[in-house]
Amino acid sequence: MTGTEPWRTLWEDYEEPEIRYAVAEACDGIRGITEDADSLEPADTVALAIAGAEAAEGLRDALESDWALYTPQQAAVVASALFAQLNAATAIFESLQRLLQNAEDRRETAFTTEAADHLTHAAAAVAFTCGVAPGAVNALNACPDLTRLPSDAHETLAGVAALLGPAAKVTENHGPGEYSEDDRGFGCGCEIRFEHRGQAWNFHRGNSSWDLVREQDGEALEDGSTFYQGWNGLGPTDSTAHPQHLVTLIRAKLDETS
């Protein structure tokens, strides 16, 4: 994407695989309702409004995290999607006014001038806000991205080890360059071992998650592997999560268990 990309299509064209998967999961129910607009009933319409409100409030809460986004380009995608919602809201307020007018024409309500004025003013205010959309989105998208994010699980692991310091050792379980993640999401098989306040800890890629375990809690099995009754899943599931994000979570978890 470039700074000249139309602001309204940035969110539609975003192709990062992990995000596309999450979008499909989050939106399947909504798409199931909206695929045939002619068959929508009032219950569907109200449900869509409530789902949109929950999504907006969920995003508000998500953005409170210092690691909610990694790059300015991700911020541009979020801004593009938010302005698309506002742009749709303009038409929604106008549609509410039309629907209530239709109900009055059928003598099913008494649609007041005050209510009509409020909807008109709301639509105008939102439309005015959308006027800054192209500049805001394009400016964010043009910001230099100085972050070099990992390209695979092994690079993530190596980045975490470097940030943890010289005491953190990466145990290699494959040859050079053989870094592909297995089809079950268990990374490349490597792990980090380090000590914290006299206790040995292990950080590795689990079943599509990043896991931190205390080695004394493990049980050695006959095949040489170790079984853990419990582990600390750190939250981010992406195999290429920002290493500093993971280190922040590791240190917080270590503080909890000290």
Side-chain angles (χ1 to χ4, degrees):
M1 291 293 176
T2 67
T4 58
E5 190 72 14
W7 70 266
R8 63 169 57 251
T9 62
L10 195 60
W11 64 277
E12 295 175 316
D13 297 339
Y14 201 63
E15 292 296 337
E16 188 173 323
E18 292 281 349
I19 291 176
R20 278 294 166 204
Y21 176 79
V23 167
E25 257 198 329
C27 295
D28 274 352
I30 291 174
R31 290 167 178 169
I33 294 175
T34 59
E35 61 185 357
D36 185 4
D38 291 337
S39 68
L40 294 185
E41 300 178 358
D44 300 317
T45 305
V46 174
L48 287 170
I50 292 172
E54 288 206 10
E57 293 192 348
L59 176 60
R60 175 202 64 197
D61 296 343
L63 287 171
E64 291 182 0
S65 167
D66 290 340
W67 293 100
L69 297 168
Y70 291 160
T71 69
Q73 286 65 44
Q74 290 173 341
V77 172
V78 171
S80 173
L82 287 172
F83 279 120
Q85 292 178 45
L86 290 174
N87 196 53
T90 301
I92 289 169
F93 284 123
E94 292 169 350
S95 293
L96 288 175
Q97 186 170 0
R98 174 180 52 80
L99 290 169
L100 288 169
Q101 186 62 57
N102 290 345
E104 184 179 46
D105 292 343
R106 297 193 302 268
R107 299 181 182 278
E108 295 172 354
T109 188
F111 186 35
T112 65
T113 300
E114 181 184 9
D117 287 345
H118 280 305
L119 292 173
T120 299
H121 293 156
V126 174
F128 177 80
T129 301
C130 284
V132 305
V137 173
N138 290 336
L140 287 170
N141 202 32
C143 285
D145 178 14
L146 305 180
T147 304
R148 185 189 177 279
L149 293 174
S151 60
D152 54 46
H154 185 85
E155 283 195 5
T156 304
L157 201 75
V160 169
L163 290 168
L164 286 174
K169 305 299 182 184
V170 178
T171 302
E172 302 270 358
N173 287 310
H174 53 68
E178 299 172 1
Y179 297 163
S180 60
E181 183 164 351
D182 75 1
D183 57 7
R184 298 174 299 164
F186 280 91
C188 59
C190 297
E191 56 191 12
I192 297 173
R193 297 186 70 252
F194 65 95
E195 285 199 2
H196 176 72
R197 295 184 179 176
Q199 295 181 323
W201 291 82
N202 182 294
F203 174 75
H204 58 271
R205 179 84 171 149
N207 185 6
S208 294
S209 66
W210 290 102
D211 298 331
L212 178 68
V213 294
R214 185 165 44 193
E215 293 200 343
Q216 72 181 39
D217 297 334
E219 176 186 346
L221 303 179
E222 292 182 0
D223 63 2
S225 63
T226 304
F227 172 74
Y228 292 92
Q229 291 282 358
W231 56 90
N232 300 293
L234 294 184
T237 59
D238 192 349
S239 63
T240 56
H242 197 305
Q244 185 64 63
H245 184 184
L246 292 169
V247 169
T248 300
L249 296 172
I250 288 171
R251 288 174 174 155
K253 187 61 65 174
L254 292 173
D255 288 342
E256 284 180 18
T257 56
S258 295

